[in-house]
Amino acid sequence: MTSPRPYHHGDLRTALLRQAEQTLAAHGVEGLSLRELARDVGVSHGAPRRHFADKRALLDALAEEGYDRLGRRLDAALAGATGDITARLVTFAQAYVTFAVEHRALIGLMHTPKDGWDERLRAANDRAFAAPVALLAEARERGDIDADTTGRVDMTVLAVLQGLTVLVATGTAGDRPLDTLVSDTVRTLVEGLRPR
């Protein structure tokens, strides 16, 4: 007879999130379950519910952590960025696309439409993109890009990067080096964003 699995774990929440990300990458959202995660981490099947009421709560927490990690990556990249708006946007774009390619399943979860998007996720998204949004605001103020204040330009930049990420992740972007592909795309985009 086997002994029951222990309930206690040093940092169960972190362990569950790490395992959930691995499972997400290997099997997608459908392959995730709290019971299976508990088994994989080595705790009783009820232990995860102390941290996540259900699968949706787990997925939201995983997405929130993804935004936090992305934000730290973008902040670090832009903190060291120099040059004109194009050079700094290239730095942002390379950091974003690299993160997205390294964490394809996680970025997919982060950008999956949700009914009644949790305010914590909206706040995490806003924090993650605070540095690039500030960069675009500064570029508008200096006249480097169109002075649009409706969010259209910011959305265009993100949409182009998302599209580029999909092309890179699926191998349909060709065999150009990632740095060159990102740089060329951003330069073309910025030329289109300049005031007329």
Side-chain angles (χ1 to χ4, degrees), residues 5 16 31-49 55 58:
R5 292 175 186 240
L16 289 168
L32 274 172
S33 79
L34 291 177
R35 183 177 286 272
E36 290 299 313
L37 284 177
R39 182 183 54 80
D40 293 343
V41 172
V43 295
S44 67
H45 70 272
R49 295 203 184 273
K55 181 177 175 177
L58 170 72

Coordinates of all heavy atoms in Angstrom, one line a residue, residues 5 16 31-49 55 58:
R5 N 0.1 11.1 -0.7 CA 1.0 12.2 -1.1 C 1.0 13.3 -0.1 O -0.1 13.6 0.5 CB 0.7 12.7 -2.5 CG 0.9 11.7 -3.6 CD 0.4 12.2 -4.9 NE 0.6 11.1 -5.8 CZ 1.3 11.2 -6.9 NH1 2.0 12.3 -7.2 NH2 1.5 10.1 -7.7
L16 N 3.5 24.8 -8.9 CA 2.4 24.5 -9.8 C 2.4 25.4 -11.1 O 2.1 24.9 -12.2 CB 1.1 24.8 -9.1 CG 0.7 23.8 -8.0 CD1 -0.5 24.3 -7.1 CD2 0.3 22.4 -8.6
G31 N -4.6 20.1 -22.1 CA -3.8 19.1 -21.3 C -3.6 19.5 -19.9 O -3.0 18.7 -19.2
L32 N -4.1 20.7 -19.5 CA -3.9 21.1 -18.1 C -5.0 20.7 -17.2 O -6.2 20.9 -17.6 CB -3.7 22.6 -18.1 CG -2.4 23.3 -18.3 CD1 -2.5 24.8 -18.4 CD2 -1.4 22.9 -17.2
S33 N -4.8 20.2 -16.1 CA -5.8 20.0 -15.1 C -5.1 20.1 -13.7 O -3.9 19.7 -13.5 CB -6.4 18.6 -15.2 OG -5.6 17.6 -14.7
L34 N -5.9 20.6 -12.7 CA -5.3 20.7 -11.4 C -4.9 19.4 -10.8 O -3.9 19.2 -10.1 CB -6.3 21.4 -10.5 CG -6.6 22.9 -10.8 CD1 -7.7 23.4 -9.8 CD2 -5.3 23.7 -10.7
R35 N -5.7 18.3 -11.1 CA -5.4 17.0 -10.5 C -4.1 16.5 -11.1 O -3.2 16.0 -10.3 CB -6.5 16.1 -10.8 CG -6.4 14.7 -10.3 CD -7.6 13.8 -10.6 NE -8.7 14.1 -9.8 CZ -9.0 13.6 -8.6 NH1 -8.1 12.7 -8.1 NH2 -10.0 13.9 -7.9
E36 N -3.9 16.6 -12.4 CA -2.7 16.1 -13.0 C -1.5 17.0 -12.6 O -0.4 16.4 -12.4 CB -2.8 16.2 -14.5 CG -3.7 15.1 -15.1 CD -3.3 13.7 -14.8 OE1 -2.1 13.4 -15.0 OE2 -4.1 12.9 -14.3
L37 N -1.7 18.3 -12.4 CA -0.6 19.1 -11.9 C -0.2 18.7 -10.5 O 1.0 18.6 -10.2 CB -1.0 20.6 -11.9 CG -1.0 21.3 -13.2 CD1 -1.5 22.7 -13.1 CD2 0.4 21.3 -13.9
A38 N -1.1 18.4 -9.6 CA -0.8 17.9 -8.3 C 0.0 16.6 -8.3 O 1.0 16.5 -7.6 CB -2.1 17.7 -7.5
R39 N -0.4 15.7 -9.2 CA 0.3 14.5 -9.4 C 1.8 14.7 -9.8 O 2.7 14.2 -9.3 CB -0.4 13.5 -10.4 CG 0.3 12.2 -10.5 CD -0.4 11.3 -11.6 NE -0.5 12.0 -12.9 CZ 0.5 12.1 -13.8 NH1 1.7 11.6 -13.5 NH2 0.2 12.8 -14.9
D40 N 1.9 15.6 -10.8 CA 3.2 15.9 -11.4 C 4.2 16.6 -10.4 O 5.4 16.4 -10.3 CB 3.1 16.8 -12.6 CG 2.5 16.1 -13.8 OD1 2.4 14.9 -13.8 OD2 2.0 16.8 -14.7
V41 N 3.6 17.4 -9.5 CA 4.4 18.1 -8.5 C 4.6 17.3 -7.3 O 5.5 17.5 -6.5 CB 3.7 19.5 -8.1 CG1 4.3 20.2 -7.0 CG2 3.7 20.4 -9.3
G42 N 3.8 16.3 -7.1 CA 3.9 15.3 -6.0 C 3.2 15.7 -4.7 O 3.7 15.5 -3.6
V43 N 2.0 16.3 -4.9 CA 1.2 16.6 -3.7 C -0.2 16.0 -3.9 O -0.5 15.5 -4.9 CB 1.1 18.2 -3.5 CG1 2.4 18.8 -3.2 CG2 0.4 18.8 -4.7
S44 N -1.0 16.1 -2.8 CA -2.3 15.5 -2.9 C -3.2 16.3 -3.9 O -2.9 17.4 -4.2 CB -3.0 15.6 -1.5 OG -3.2 16.9 -1.2
H45 N -4.2 15.6 -4.5 CA -4.9 16.2 -5.6 C -5.7 17.4 -5.1 O -6.1 18.3 -6.0 CB -5.9 15.1 -6.2 CG -7.0 14.7 -5.3 ND1 -6.9 13.7 -4.4 CD2 -8.3 15.3 -5.2 CE1 -8.1 13.6 -3.8 NE2 -8.9 14.5 -4.3
G46 N -6.0 17.6 -3.9 CA -6.7 18.8 -3.4 C -5.8 19.9 -3.1 O -6.3 21.1 -2.9
A47 N -4.5 19.7 -3.0 CA -3.6 20.8 -2.5 C -3.6 22.0 -3.4 O -3.6 23.1 -2.9 CB -2.2 20.2 -2.4
P48 N -3.7 21.9 -4.8 CA -3.7 23.1 -5.6 C -4.8 24.0 -5.4 O -4.7 25.2 -5.6 CB -3.7 22.5 -7.0 CG -3.1 21.1 -6.9 CD -3.6 20.6 -5.6
R49 N -5.9 23.5 -4.9 CA -7.1 24.4 -4.7 C -6.9 25.4 -3.5 O -7.6 26.4 -3.4 CB -8.3 23.5 -4.4 CG -8.7 22.7 -5.6 CD -10.1 22.3 -5.6 NE -10.4 21.4 -6.8 CZ -10.7 21.8 -8.0 NH1 -10.8 23.1 -8.2 NH2 -10.9 21.0 -9.0
K55 N -9.4 25.7 -12.8 CA -8.4 25.7 -13.9 C -8.3 27.2 -14.4 O -7.2 27.6 -14.7 CB -8.9 24.8 -15.0 CG -7.9 24.7 -16.2 CD -8.4 23.7 -17.2 CE -7.6 23.7 -18.4 NZ -8.0 22.7 -19.4
L58 N -6.0 29.2 -12.3 CA -4.7 28.8 -12.6 C -4.2 29.4 -13.9 O -3.1 30.0 -14.0 CB -4.6 27.2 -12.7 CG -3.2 26.7 -13.3 CD1 -2.1 26.9 -12.2 CD2 -3.4 25.3 -13.7

